[in-house]
Amino acid sequence: MTNYAPPPAATKTSALAVWGLILLTALAAWHFTACFLPWYTSQRAEHFARRLDDLSSLRDALAAFHAKYGRYPANAGFVGAIGIKGEVNGDWLPGLAGEFLPALPRDPAGTSDPDKQYLYHGDGADYKIIVHGSGDCALARKAHPDMVDPTRDCWAYGFWTPGAANW
């Protein structure tokens, strides 16, 4: 049996191809890190800050509603601005817009996915207002661990009354 060794030219060509692929991969990684990642990170931080502001405004409006009427707005289950079939509901938290808020906020991502939005549920005595499915719950866990929804682990964060914590 004879040992076969490829000709030197074939070895050089293969080595150059491998180094070329390594260089292209490194350039692509650099481009992603230098161009896309800062934009993505800053956009995520902006959305997170806006969500916190929106939740705080909703919490304050709910407290004002409760102070005036002695109850929280009641509904049958969690509702948001986007319905199950994608329909838009501008008055998804009845009684707040106009009197207690200029308008009801919508999630800054602007998605039409009903699983990724602000959701509210109230029974009159208690309420829960959450950001659901936003993908930035890890930021909430780090900055405000008390806001992470105990029933949804890190799929949602927000505010609730003690009686609604486990909804």
Side-chain angles (χ1 to χ4, degrees):
M1 179 162 183
T2 60
N3 289 335
Y4 174 77
T11 303
K12 279 185 180 180
T13 303
S14 297
L16 286 175
V18 169
W19 281 109
L21 285 173
I22 290 171
L23 180 62
L24 282 174
T25 303
L27 284 173
W30 174 83
H31 182 71
F32 173 81
T33 303
C35 298
F36 179 72
L37 197 58
W39 169 83
Y40 177 74
T41 303
S42 68
Q43 182 186 49
R44 181 167 281 229
E46 288 171 18
H47 283 185
F48 179 65
R50 168 120 176 261
R51 288 179 181 120
L52 290 179
D53 287 346
D54 288 347
L55 285 174
S56 295
S57 295
L58 288 164
R59 178 192 58 197
D60 295 346
L62 286 164
F65 185 99
H66 188 270
K68 182 172 183 176
Y69 297 109
R71 62 177 180 80
Y72 296 107
N75 58 7
F78 281 97
V79 295
I82 308 296
I84 300 289
K85 297 178 183 172
E87 69 278 4
V88 176
N89 178 5
D91 195 23
W92 56 275
L93 211 166
L96 289 190
E99 187 173 1
F100 301 101
L101 286 172
L104 292 175
R106 292 218 22 215
D107 187 87
T111 180
S112 61
D113 184 345
D115 290 329
K116 297 180 179 181
Q117 63 174 325
Y118 300 152
L119 295 173
Y120 172 81
H121 178 44
D123 67 0
D126 292 293
Y127 77 88
K128 185 178 260 191
I129 184 81
I130 57 175
V131 175
H132 188 268
S134 63
D136 61 1
C137 192
L139 295 173
R141 185 182 304 277
K142 185 176 181 180
H144 305 282
D146 56 314
M147 290 180 68
V148 176
D149 188 340
T151 61
R152 289 166 186 81
D153 188 25
C154 214
W155 265 99
Y157 59 93
F159 296 112
W160 49 86
T161 57
N166 293 320
W167 290 355

